[in-house]
């Protein structure tokens, strides 16, 4: 049973009770991420997420770790382009401790200079590791090419030269400006009593900063190309097109189309390019959405010699979809999507995250039955329409590795328009 309470200060408390478990997953999700950052402090959201665990006015970094682990629980966090999350999993009886710790780190973190210096070094290593992982960093290049010179295109981890100079005062100021109660959701799933959760939240989150809750800069998809020559064994390619936002009528259709095109071993791309032709080790498509837009993309990892064939084949498959997509393919995609939704509901962590994300995105929880009904409503003509909509957009291309044989963006655009 899902219940939602909005406190007087605008802070939202939500719970999804599951009587069949003995645990609770909970956290605070903030409607704040990389797209809220000015260029000169790119990476501050992610560094703030790290620093939140590095000591408060009444707990040291070690005490935070010891207190949660003393009851068998764990804490973690992540930063994305539109959200930042701080979450825990504990036995149901330890709910007060978890709420208190998360409230403490979000209101009373000290951003100690010595801790900051150490954690900056850790984040710089994380940035270096991403740079050394081609099938990871190519997605940052893809995002940057699609949304150039704007917050939505900047890397979540930030740039080393900026992160290396961020001060505690800068981090604190960013947090106070953006972590307004109206942008935060405390969500819990598991063996949780809602009234008890609300009572704990009132006490633990009474000192949240007022903040200005300023809107992020709108995302302006431009499309473009980033090519990085590297001495690698493989060519890593992401080719994409403008997608749709969460509220777009084509949102569910695009998700299903992505499954048909490259969502599994039975998908068109996997069967044609990996199984039939043996041109890649890894290939898949994805649809990522934001509040005001999105991306559809295809990733492929291939050899230097095979690179010449990859993009023409990808485009050929996309161009074929409107006229050839079948009821059988749609039925498989529907089954995969519905199974994913229902399987995720067996996890307290997934249910807490879904509840928070839905409240931040739609302003209300979306029942699984409603989501499944929207998936069921997509038909073959709708898939054909969204496929035509995709290929009418300007393409984006990001590639990393030995790129001498890989087609360029103008060639991609010409084939899409053919």
């Amino acid at each position: 049973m899902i219940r939602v309470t909005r406190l007087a200060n605008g802070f939202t408390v939500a719970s999804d009770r599951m009587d069949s478990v003995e645990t609770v997953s909970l956290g605070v999700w903030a409607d704040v991420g990389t797209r809220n950052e000015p260029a000169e402090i790119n990476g501050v959201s992610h560094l703030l997420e790290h620093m939140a665990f590095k000591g408060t006015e009444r707990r040291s970094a070690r005490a935070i770790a010891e207190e949660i682990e003393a009851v068998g629980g764990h804490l973690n966090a992540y930063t994305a382009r539109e959200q930042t999350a701080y979450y825990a999993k504990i036995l149901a009886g330890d709910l007060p401790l978890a709420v208190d710790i998360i409230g403490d780190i979000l209101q009373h973190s000290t951003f100690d200079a010595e801790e900051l210096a150490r954690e900056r070094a850790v984040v710089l290593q994380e940035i270096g590791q991403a740079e050394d992982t081609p099938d990871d960093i190519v997605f940052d290049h893809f995002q940057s090419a699609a949304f150039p010179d704007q917050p939505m295109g900047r890397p979540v981890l930030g740039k080393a030269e900026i992160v290396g100079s961020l001060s505690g005062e800068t981090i604190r100021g960013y947090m106070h400006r953006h972590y307004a109660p109206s942008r935060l959701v405390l969500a819990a799933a598991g063996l949780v009593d809602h009234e008890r959760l609300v009572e704990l939240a009132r006490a633990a989150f009474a000192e949240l900063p007022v903040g200005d809750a300023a809107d992020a800069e709108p995302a302006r998809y431009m499309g473009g190309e980033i090519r990085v020559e590297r001495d690698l064994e493989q060519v890593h390619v992401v080719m994409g097109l403008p997608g749709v936002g969460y509220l777009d009528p084509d949102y569910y259709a695009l998700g299903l189309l992505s499954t048909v095109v490259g969502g599994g071993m039975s998908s068109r791309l996997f069967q044609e390019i990996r199984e039939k032709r043996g041109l890649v080790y890894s290939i898949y498509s994805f649809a990522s959405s934001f509040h005001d837009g999105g991306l559809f993309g295809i990733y492929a990892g291939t050899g230097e010699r095979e690179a010449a064939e990859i993009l023409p084949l990808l485009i050929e498959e996309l161009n074929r979809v409107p006229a050839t997509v079948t009821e059988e393919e749609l039925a498989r995609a529907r089954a995969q999507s519905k199974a994913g939704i229902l399987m995720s509901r067996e996890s307290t962590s997934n249910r807490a995250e879904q509840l928070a994300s839905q409240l931040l995105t739609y302003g209300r929880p979306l029942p699984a039955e409603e989501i499944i009904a929207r998936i069921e409503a997509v038909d073959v003509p709708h898939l054909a329409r969204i496929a035509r909509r995709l290929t009418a957009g300007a393409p984006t291309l990001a590639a990393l590795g030995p790129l001498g044989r890989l087609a360029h963006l103008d060639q991609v655009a010409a084939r899409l328009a053919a």
Side-chain angles (χ1 to χ4, degrees):
M1 177 181 177
I2 292 176
R3 294 184 62 187
V4 179
T5 299
R6 287 185 173 85
L7 304 185
N9 64 355
F11 186 67
T12 299
V13 182
S15 67
D16 185 353
R17 185 174 176 89
M18 302 166 66
D19 289 319
S20 60
V21 300
E22 299 295 332
T23 62
V24 176
S25 293
L26 77 156
V28 168
W29 277 259
D31 193 25
V32 180
T34 309
R35 70 174 303 177
N36 299 93
E37 301 170 352
E40 63 272 15
I41 57 171
N42 176 217
V44 68
S45 298
H46 179 248
L47 185 55
L48 166 57
E49 170 231 305
H50 275 245
M51 286 302 300
F53 296 95
K54 296 305 171 183
T56 70
E57 294 165 8
R58 57 191 175 95
R59 288 182 172 99
S60 65
R62 180 169 182 167
I64 292 170
E66 288 180 344
E67 284 188 42
I68 197 72
E69 292 181 1
V71 299
H74 61 82
L75 285 166
N76 213 332
Y78 66 81
T79 305
R81 288 192 162 83
E82 292 194 306
Q83 292 181 4
T84 309
Y86 306 82
Y87 56 95
K89 185 163 187 175
I90 37 83
L91 294 175
D94 298 312
L95 179 67
L97 174 65
V99 173
D100 184 66
I101 289 176
I102 294 175
D104 193 21
I105 66 175
L106 291 182
Q107 294 168 107
H108 307 123
S109 286
T110 56
F111 305 111
D112 176 78
E114 290 186 10
E115 288 285 359
L116 177 56
R118 280 192 289 268
E119 206 57 30
R120 264 200 308 251
V122 170
V123 173
L124 290 173
Q125 290 178 44
E126 189 177 356
I127 292 171
Q129 184 181 48
E131 290 285 351
D132 288 343
T133 311
D135 56 348
D136 183 358
I137 199 67
V138 72
F139 286 91
D140 274 355
H141 295 323
F142 175 69
Q143 191 81 19
S144 180
F147 298 99
D149 303 316
Q150 54 186 296
M152 188 56 83
R154 295 183 192 126
V156 170
L157 300 183
K159 296 182 179 178
E161 60 271 22
I162 296 175
V163 172
S165 64
L166 290 173
S167 68
E169 195 58 40
T170 297
I171 300 169
R172 186 179 296 106
Y174 181 83
M175 187 178 195
H176 277 261
R177 284 193 303 277
H178 292 288
Y179 277 51
S182 61
R183 302 181 80 157
L184 305 178
V185 170
L186 170 64
L191 191 60
V192 56
D193 177 79
H194 184 75
E195 296 303 332
R196 177 64 171 145
L197 181 65
V198 171
E199 176 188 335
L200 291 169
R202 280 201 178 99
F205 292 90
E207 299 175 54
L208 287 169
V210 175
D212 58 13
D215 290 333
E217 179 182 323
R220 295 168 286 106
Y221 177 90
M222 304 293 289
E225 180 177 34
I226 292 180
R227 301 168 72 94
V228 181
E229 285 281 347
R230 292 264 298 267
D231 184 15
L232 301 172
E233 290 296 319
Q234 274 204 314
V235 176
H236 300 270
V237 183
V238 183
M239 191 278 287
L241 297 155
V244 303
Y246 293 114
L247 301 178
D248 193 287
D250 286 332
Y251 173 74
Y252 291 98
L254 181 56
L256 292 171
L257 179 68
S258 180
T259 301
V260 168
V261 171
M265 293 174 64
S266 64
S267 69
R268 291 186 171 205
L269 292 178
F270 194 93
Q271 286 296 315
E272 180 68 24
I273 296 178
R274 174 172 166 149
E275 296 296 277
K276 181 179 175 180
R277 299 173 185 265
L279 294 175
V280 298
Y281 171 71
S282 177
I283 188 164
Y284 57 86
S285 61
F286 60 91
S288 58
S289 293
F290 318 121
H291 286 296
D292 54 355
L295 291 168
F296 171 82
I298 298 168
Y299 166 81
T302 188
E304 182 178 3
R305 286 185 302 175
E306 293 83 0
E309 300 180 64
I310 288 298
L311 289 175
L313 285 171
L314 296 185
I315 296 162
E316 180 182 338
E317 286 302 317
L318 285 178
N319 283 339
R320 287 180 59 243
V321 168
T324 62
V325 64
T326 67
E327 289 283 358
E328 182 182 4
E329 288 177 306
L330 176 56
R332 270 202 308 270
R334 280 202 201 105
Q336 287 177 260
S337 297
K338 290 188 293 185
I341 291 166
L342 296 175
M343 289 177 185
S344 72
R345 292 188 59 74
E346 297 178 1
S347 162
T348 58
S349 299
N350 285 342
R351 283 171 75 146
E353 182 174 29
Q354 288 168 11
L355 178 56
S357 295
Q358 288 167 359
L359 286 165
L360 290 174
T361 302
Y362 303 104
R364 66 180 181 92
L366 296 185
E369 297 77 12
E370 179 181 339
I371 297 172
I372 289 172
R374 294 186 183 188
I375 290 169
E376 291 283 5
V378 176
D379 57 17
V380 166
H382 196 169
L383 284 191
R385 288 198 304 274
I386 186 62
R388 286 192 291 268
R389 176 179 171 181
L390 280 180
T391 54
T396 294
L397 179 64
L400 187 69
L403 306 179
R405 302 188 183 195
L406 188 73
H408 284 264
L409 185 67
D410 55 348
Q411 297 168 300
V412 171
R415 284 180 176 271
L416 282 168

